[in-house]
Amino acid sequence: LRDLPAGPAIAWADSLAAARTAVETLRAKKLDPTLAGVRECAAEPDALAALGAPCVVTALRPEDPLAVLALAGRLHAQGVPVAISTSAPDRSPRSLRLALSLAVAAGLPGEAALSAATSTPAKMLGLGARVGRVATGFDADLVVTDGAPWEARSRVLLVVSGGEIAFDRATETSR
């Protein structure tokens, strides 16, 4: 840690004690901590939020306890930037939509869920000035759905990647 330049740093925090230690250590080194893997802190969301570090809630599954599913919403309600990630590559690419759906069902507002998969992780990685949202001058891959992206019934209509149409439901082509 001694030689790292100031900026964002991600630390795995599988307990509240680990989260506290990571935040204190990284801030002492002039780094901006983001806590990942905070599922095990779900029983104490207020204490986690009090640390004031952005959090990445990982690998939400239908069989998770409500406290884990509600963690993203509880942190967001206290002003903590929240990202949601999957356990990729060992999980299906659809697992992000499932994770977002579960977080919304457990209390995370829809717009916050969308940000949790786009602009918030970009900011956490120090890339928020280039990716994470649709804006002039930003790099973007776009997914157009016929409903909210976290809803299981929403269908993907169009995917644009690298400036090219990668999928168009109207023509049922995938390139």
Side-chain angles (χ1 to χ4, degrees), residues 5 24 45 55 96 170:
E24 290 169 6
C55 293
L96 181 57

Side-chain angles (χ1 to χ4, degrees), residues 67-82:
V68 172
L69 298 176
L71 182 58
R74 302 255 334 250
L75 293 171
H76 171 77
Q78 294 191 47
V80 175
V82 176

Side-chain angles (χ1 to χ4, degrees), residues 4 9 14 17 21 23 53 66 69 72 81 85 88-89 93 112 115 117 121 127 129 135 142 147 156 159-160 164-165:
L4 289 176
D14 56 3
T21 300
V23 168
L66 182 57
L69 298 176
S85 75
S115 294
L127 301 172
L142 304 173
V156 174
V159 177
V160 179
E164 302 288 326
I165 294 175

Side-chain angles (χ1 to χ4, degrees), residues 94 97 141-146 154-175:
R94 292 181 179 93
R97 180 187 273 191
D141 292 337
L142 304 173
V143 178
V144 179
T145 61
D146 64 357
S154 293
R155 294 176 305 150
V156 174
L157 302 176
L158 182 70
V159 177
V160 179
S161 180
E164 302 288 326
I165 294 175
F167 173 80
D168 184 348
R169 181 170 295 281
T171 61
E172 290 291 325
T173 59
S174 185
R175 297 181 189 120

